């Protein structure tokens, strides 16, 4: 019997956000894409931290966003 991994919907949305931001900014500059996704992930977690009654700040959300960026960056590297 294998172990089943469940990905939380919130983490998946962070992953997708990182991927979309990176894909949108990469045609301009790879470094701009990296800066944009780091800034967006940090600002989102800061917003969550500042609004604890409605949001939960989570460092894993930050990393899930960066993982989405890394995925797109890796796919770009494989295809070009």
């Amino acid at each position: 019997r294998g172990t089943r991994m469940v990905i939380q919907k919130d983490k998946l949305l962070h992953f997708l956000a990182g991927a979309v931001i990176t894909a949108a900014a990469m045609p301009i500059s790879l470094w701009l894409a990296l800066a944009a996704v780091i800034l967006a992930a940090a600002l989102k977690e800061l917003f969550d931290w500042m609004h604890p009654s409605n949001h939960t700040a989570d460092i894993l959300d930050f990393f899930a966003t960066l993982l989405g960026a890394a995925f797109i960056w890796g796919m770009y590297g494989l295809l070009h």
Side-chain angles (χ1 to χ4, degrees):
R1 192 172 175 185
T3 302
R4 201 173 126 196
M5 184 170 74
V6 177
I7 299 174
Q8 295 175 349
K9 181 180 177 183
D10 180 56
K11 301 298 182 272
L12 180 58
L13 292 174
H14 278 274
F15 179 91
L16 292 173
V20 168
I21 292 166
T22 302
M26 278 182 68
I28 300 166
S29 163
L30 293 175
W31 295 110
L32 174 65
L34 181 61
V37 79
I38 289 171
L39 183 62
L43 288 175
K44 172 62 168 88
E45 293 315 305
L46 179 62
F47 177 85
D48 290 349
W49 179 73
M50 293 176 68
H51 299 89
S53 61
N54 298 325
H55 301 276
T56 303
D58 184 356
I59 191 70
L60 294 179
D61 288 347
F62 177 83
F63 287 119
T65 307
L66 296 185
L67 188 59
F71 176 78
I72 295 298
W73 201 322
M75 291 294 101
Y76 178 83
L78 285 174
L79 298 174
H80 285 90

